[in-house]
Amino acid sequence: MVEGRILKVSGPLVIAEGMREANMFDVVRVGEAQLIGEIIEMHGDRASIQVYEETAGLGRGDRVVSTGAPLSVELGPGLVRNIYDGIQRPLETLRLKYGANLQKGIDEPALDREKRWFFEPAVSYGDAVSEGDIFGYVQESAALRHKLMIPYGYAGTIAEIHAGEFTVTDTVVQLRLEDGEIVSLSMMQKWPVRRARPIRERLAPSEPLISGQRTIDALFPIAKGGTACVPGPFGSGKTVVQHQLAKWSNVDLVVYVGCGERGNEMADVLREFPELNDPRTGKSLMERTILIANTSDMPVAAREASIYTGITIAEYYRDMGYDVAVIADSTSRFAEALREMSGRLEEMPGEEGYPAYLTSRLAQFYERAGKAICLGSDGRRGTLTAVGAVSPQGGDLSEPVTQATLRIVKVFWGLDASLAYARHFPAINWLTSYSLYRDRLSDWFSAHVAKDWMKKTGELLRILQQESELQEIVKLVGTDALSFDDRITLETARSIREDFLQQNAFMEGDAYTEADKMYALMDLIFAFDRKMREAVREGADIDVLSELPVREAIGRAKAVPYADYRDKYAQIEAQIDQEIAKVKGVN
């Protein structure tokens, strides 16, 4: 045990001397209150310590004790449905034991030591196993089966294993190593948060993460195992977009990290998720959700830890062969924690005071996403998708955090305040956003939705781009100066914006749209565009066509329940033919 004394206290930074035998990233206990901290720099016998709790009351000469272990998370049954703070303390347990106001230095195990889980063996006596092999199962929640894996670095044969009810610390397997030594394995293992969990092989993402959000799935899709950022100014709907992704994405598990955000946003998640049904399983969304809540009233240093805690837990479930999404709201607060500590360490500042290593730290988070062949003899595959919100001050996308993130991620969902103020949600600007996964995912959409999916979605983008160019002309000379074809383009673009891209997160039938229904809705809009152009060429009045009652029916089509949409859309297309035929008949 290494023991030192405090030399200096500067906010969340503590400088301690007498720490020569300590290691980088060791967890330490600071002062009489036993505050939790982490060594982030070593200079001789002096250690710079990032403290994850309020440091008021610490003084020169107070004791600092190193635990000799890095900051780690406990991994095992009991993570799902739970809510933790940035250093994986279970907030609900702390509230019940200590009240709503937490005291300094509180340390509570992340996993319940008393709860008993039914353990179902997956191997038998004498079976040979190695790191990553599944040795048993636990039904962790109604929606997720926990797969227990041989820890990294272990290999041998099963000496003893039994089914039954055990706590996470009870021995469930006796493993005889290759040198004859017997080791006891429980259902819990620990992993340092700053170290990525190992995989056998990294694969290129090839399947989309279906979110049910039409703007995302049709125009700017993200792959399972991909990376995306959601930048936008205050009030533009970053949290709305991330909540929708957490609620509806076709993943097995969601790890939602509230990094420095307002407490009421995490309270919304806690209130809504238990009441919402997962469209994939019919169970509560909390049955496949883990929450990491580091809100803005917690110490700034804990924001950095919360990001690493979330991604490490997500990697653990990916290693089981699951599709996992980690959603961080927001990485700007993570970057502010880096800036705070860098300033107190008196490092040379980079742009706008952020440290020069800002981009590499962000990359360390996003590069842990991906599709992988996991450790283990069964060759199972898992994916980890990382989505981070960015909160640039004043909506300035040229600021360092946004620009550093854009150099790393493959999908950019740029939120627009003007769209949000016009009540257009999700407020993703279709002219500035992009996805570098579109071409890679084209084969999947062609095979599972429609062969011309990419052609149709590309046409949507082309029409919206053309509308932007035509609007410049309209502002100068008015709509009447445009050709009939250009006026129809403007009408179709309006239909795309209002009837397709705009989506109501609180309306049943519209909050989530299946891919085939999405394709049918595009088809409906293009059918009206095509038949309108044919009618105009035959002499029909474009102003009358633009005001046909069927336009309202197309606008309401997005909210038609999935079970009824085929019949309803066929009726609307027949209505288009009838009403346009009447207009042509009058002419």
Side-chain angles (χ1 to χ4, degrees):
M1 183 177 69
V2 179
E3 183 175 322
R5 297 288 170 177
I6 292 179
L7 191 65
K8 172 185 173 183
V9 179
S10 176
L13 175 67
V14 169
I15 308 295
E17 59 183 353
M19 304 290 289
R20 185 179 298 275
E21 300 301 319
N23 298 312
M24 278 284 289
F25 302 121
D26 275 1
V27 172
V28 298
R29 291 293 187 165
V30 182
E32 294 303 316
Q34 298 281 291
L35 306 185
I36 300 172
E38 183 184 18
I39 296 175
I40 56 174
E41 268 192 11
M42 292 290 296
H43 296 284
D45 73 335
R46 292 188 179 182
S48 299
I49 300 165
Q50 181 172 254
V51 180
Y52 294 126
E53 300 183 78
E54 177 57 53
T55 57
L58 292 179
R60 185 184 175 98
D62 285 355
R63 191 172 70 151
V64 176
V65 179
S66 172
T67 63
L71 183 65
S72 303
V73 289
E74 293 183 354
L75 303 170
L79 292 169
V80 175
R81 295 192 301 255
N82 228 322
I83 177 168
Y84 297 100
D85 71 357
I87 50 178
Q88 212 200 7
R89 294 182 298 188
L91 293 180
E92 181 62 18
T93 302
L94 296 182
R95 183 186 69 82
L96 293 173
K97 291 185 72 170
Y98 303 102
N101 297 316
L102 303 183
Q103 305 300 314
K104 293 182 180 181
I106 291 174
D107 189 18
E108 192 73 21
L111 299 178
D112 190 334
R113 297 296 195 263
E114 297 179 4
K115 183 171 181 178
R116 303 184 74 82
W117 301 89
F118 182 78
F119 170 74
E120 177 188 348
V123 293
S124 303
Y125 171 79
D127 286 352
V129 293
S130 60
E131 56 190 14
D133 282 345
I134 295 169
F135 66 82
Y137 302 99
V138 166
Q139 193 64 40
E140 186 172 7
S141 74
L144 193 132
R145 194 184 194 199
H146 196 107
K147 302 174 184 178
L148 298 161
M149 298 167 286
I150 300 293
Y152 181 65
Y154 285 83
T157 57
I158 301 298
E160 188 176 343
I161 188 167
H162 301 288
E165 290 194 347
F166 302 95
T167 67
V168 292
T169 54
D170 289 340
T171 296
V172 293
V173 172
Q174 295 277 2
L175 181 66
R176 179 178 287 105
L177 303 182
E178 294 171 352
D179 61 3
E181 181 186 355
I182 300 289
V183 296
S184 300
L185 301 180
S186 69
M187 292 190 283
M188 182 184 76
Q189 55 179 276
K190 290 189 175 183
W191 192 265
V193 298
R194 293 181 182 273
R195 179 183 172 194
R197 286 178 62 86
I199 57 175
R200 190 168 304 285
E201 183 182 348
R202 186 176 292 273
L203 304 173
S206 58
E207 181 183 343
L209 183 144
I210 300 296
S211 66
Q213 310 308 299
R214 294 185 290 271
T215 307
I216 292 173
D217 294 348
L219 302 186
F220 312 111
I222 178 174
K224 285 182 179 179
T227 54
C229 70
V230 192
F234 175 79
S236 60
K238 294 184 295 296
T239 302
V240 172
V241 170
Q242 291 197 306
H243 281 200
Q244 290 298 93
L245 288 170
K247 291 173 187 175
W248 307 118
S249 295
N250 63 334
V251 293
D252 300 301
L253 183 82
V254 173
V255 181
Y256 192 98
V257 183
C259 178
E261 288 303 297
R262 292 170 293 282
N264 62 316
E265 294 182 357
M266 292 306 295
D268 284 344
V269 175
L270 281 171
R271 186 175 63 251
E272 288 180 20
F273 277 33
E275 298 173 0
L276 288 168
N277 286 332
D278 183 352
R280 302 173 69 233
T281 64
K283 309 293 184 181
S284 166
L285 280 170
M286 280 305 292
E287 298 293 319
R288 62 175 183 96
T289 303
I290 301 170
L291 301 177
I292 311 293
N294 170 254
T295 51
S296 50
D297 63 339
M298 292 182 178
V300 66
R303 298 176 184 178
E304 183 184 7
S306 65
I307 290 288
Y308 290 118
T309 296
I311 196 76
T312 305
I313 292 173
E315 285 178 330
Y316 175 63
Y317 283 92
R318 176 214 59 199
D319 290 349
M320 298 180 197
Y322 288 127
D323 295 322
V324 184
V326 59
I327 296 175
D329 187 12
S330 82
T331 54
S332 290
R333 309 288 175 253
F334 165 75
E336 287 170 5
L338 294 178
R339 181 168 61 181
E340 167 85 4
M341 294 308 299
S342 176
R344 294 189 182 277
L345 289 167
E346 300 178 359
E347 295 173 339
M348 183 67 72
E351 189 179 357
E352 294 189 20
Y354 289 102
Y357 48 79
L358 170 65
T359 303
S360 66
R361 289 291 179 86
L362 286 169
Q364 285 173 13
F365 167 68
Y366 284 108
E367 73 185 4
R368 289 170 74 168
K371 180 179 180 181
I373 298 177
C374 309
L375 293 180
S377 57
D378 59 355
R380 63 187 179 277
R381 301 183 179 194
T383 64
L384 199 170
T385 307
V387 179
V390 185
S391 308
Q393 294 182 355
D396 178 16
L397 299 186
S398 65
E399 59 90 40
V401 182
T402 307
Q403 289 302 307
T405 304
L406 290 181
R407 287 195 286 271
I408 301 163
V409 301
K410 298 289 193 295
V411 178
F412 170 66
W413 296 319
L415 299 179
D416 192 317
S418 61
L419 287 174
Y421 296 150
R423 299 294 185 267
H424 180 112
F425 288 103
I428 296 173
N429 189 315
W430 48 84
L431 299 176
T432 59
S433 302
Y434 61 82
S435 169
L436 301 182
Y437 294 115
R438 274 182 62 84
D439 292 342
R440 184 173 291 172
L441 299 175
S442 61
D443 290 343
W444 189 94
F445 282 111
S446 296
H448 293 84
V449 185
K451 290 184 177 180
D452 60 345
W453 170 274
M454 298 307 292
K455 179 181 177 182
K456 275 197 166 60
T457 55
E459 184 68 8
L460 286 182
L461 285 169
R462 187 193 66 78
I463 291 173
L464 292 169
Q465 181 65 49
Q466 195 173 349
E467 180 202 30
S468 176
E469 296 166 358
L470 291 173
Q471 289 291 359
E472 298 298 322
I473 299 172
V474 170
K475 289 175 184 176
L476 292 173
V477 295
T479 307
D480 293 339
L482 298 177
S483 66
F484 287 147
D485 272 351
D486 287 344
R487 289 177 64 184
I488 293 172
T489 298
L490 289 180
E491 288 296 322
T492 303
R494 180 166 69 90
S495 183
I496 292 170
R497 286 187 285 105
E498 297 177 1
D499 306 335
F500 185 81
L501 299 183
Q502 199 167 351
Q503 198 162 349
N504 190 335
F506 301 102
M507 180 186 290
E508 188 175 356
D510 193 30
Y512 177 88
T513 304
E514 294 78 0
D516 54 341
K517 180 183 171 184
M518 211 178 290
Y519 176 82
L521 184 56
M522 283 190 283
D523 227 13
L524 206 58
I525 293 170
F526 286 135
F528 185 74
D529 173 90
R530 183 177 64 255
K531 291 169 183 179
M532 193 175 177
R533 291 180 192 276
E534 292 171 358
V536 168
R537 282 196 291 270
E538 294 176 19
D541 189 329
I542 189 172
D543 293 321
V544 175
L545 290 170
S546 301
E547 300 298 326
L548 288 176
V550 75
R551 289 295 301 274
E552 184 177 347
I554 295 173
R556 294 178 181 276
K558 60 187 177 184
V560 173
Y562 180 72
D564 305 327
Y565 89 87
R566 289 183 177 85
D567 293 338
K568 186 63 178 176
Y569 284 15
Q571 293 172 17
I572 294 173
E573 189 155 1
Q575 187 180 347
I576 292 172
D577 292 334
Q578 292 167 8
E579 293 186 7
I580 288 181
K582 283 184 182 178
V583 176
K584 290 197 293 188
V586 170
N587 289 285

